[in-house]
Amino acid sequence: AQESHFKVEPQFPRQGEKVNITFDPAGTELESESAIEGIVYVSDQKGVAALELPMKKSGKQFTGSFVVADTALALSFAFIAGDKKETNQRKGYVVQVYDEKQQPVEGSGRALYRLYNNMYDGYLAGIDQNTELAFTYIEKEYKAYPGDIKANFPSYAAEVLKRKDERYQELLLGELQKL
């Protein structure tokens, strides 16, 4: 499970805020490594950027910290030692970015949709495609931010149609009229 190897504090990271990361390599292919580095993949409106995340050994765990970019929507982490890369069995160590009310910021669900839908973002972060999980995030984003219909509708409509949902006409036709 992600929680047993990875911890982020605060639990609801915000843009512009310092975040502390703890990684426990026990049970991963990095378990016997004495030096582990982190990579944080920062998703924003433009895509994803990989940043180095220096890690320090603290007992059996490794810790690091960084400040979340003001434009960040979601974060994904990988841990590396030599040519080994740990990404939670290619599921990613993924964290949404939140607002002051502990709600995902606008665009966060769309960023996770891109990560899990095997677009370039997910490929770069070492995350395998998971279309069901991708759909849950774009659907939540679509419903949480109806004013952002132009950004979210194409992805949401494509996913509804892929599922051959028999309600697709009623789900989509009314939305199309809003565009």
Side-chain angles (χ1 to χ4, degrees), residues 17 33 35 39 55 60-61 65 73 83 109 111 128 134 138 142 150 152 161 163 166 173 179:
E17 181 176 71
E33 300 294 334
I39 302 172
M55 303 291 286
K60 294 182 178 183
Q61 300 178 330
S65 64
L73 303 173
D83 61 354
D128 284 341
I138 195 64
Y142 188 74
K150 286 191 166 105
N152 296 322
L161 291 172
R163 281 158 181 69
E166 293 175 11
L173 289 177
L179 292 173

Side-chain angles (χ1 to χ4, degrees), residues 88-129:
N88 194 25
Q89 299 165 348
R90 298 195 56 82
K91 292 182 224 138
Y93 294 102
V94 178
V95 178
Q96 287 187 274
V97 176
Y98 294 86
D99 63 19
E100 65 282 350
K101 296 177 185 164
Q102 297 183 348
Q103 297 301 308
V105 295
E106 186 170 347
S108 182
R110 189 169 54 256
L112 292 185
Y113 168 76
R114 291 193 321 244
L115 278 173
Y116 288 114
N117 206 33
N118 208 22
M119 295 180 176
Y120 178 75
D121 300 19
Y123 171 78
L124 182 66
I127 297 174
D128 284 341
Q129 184 176 33

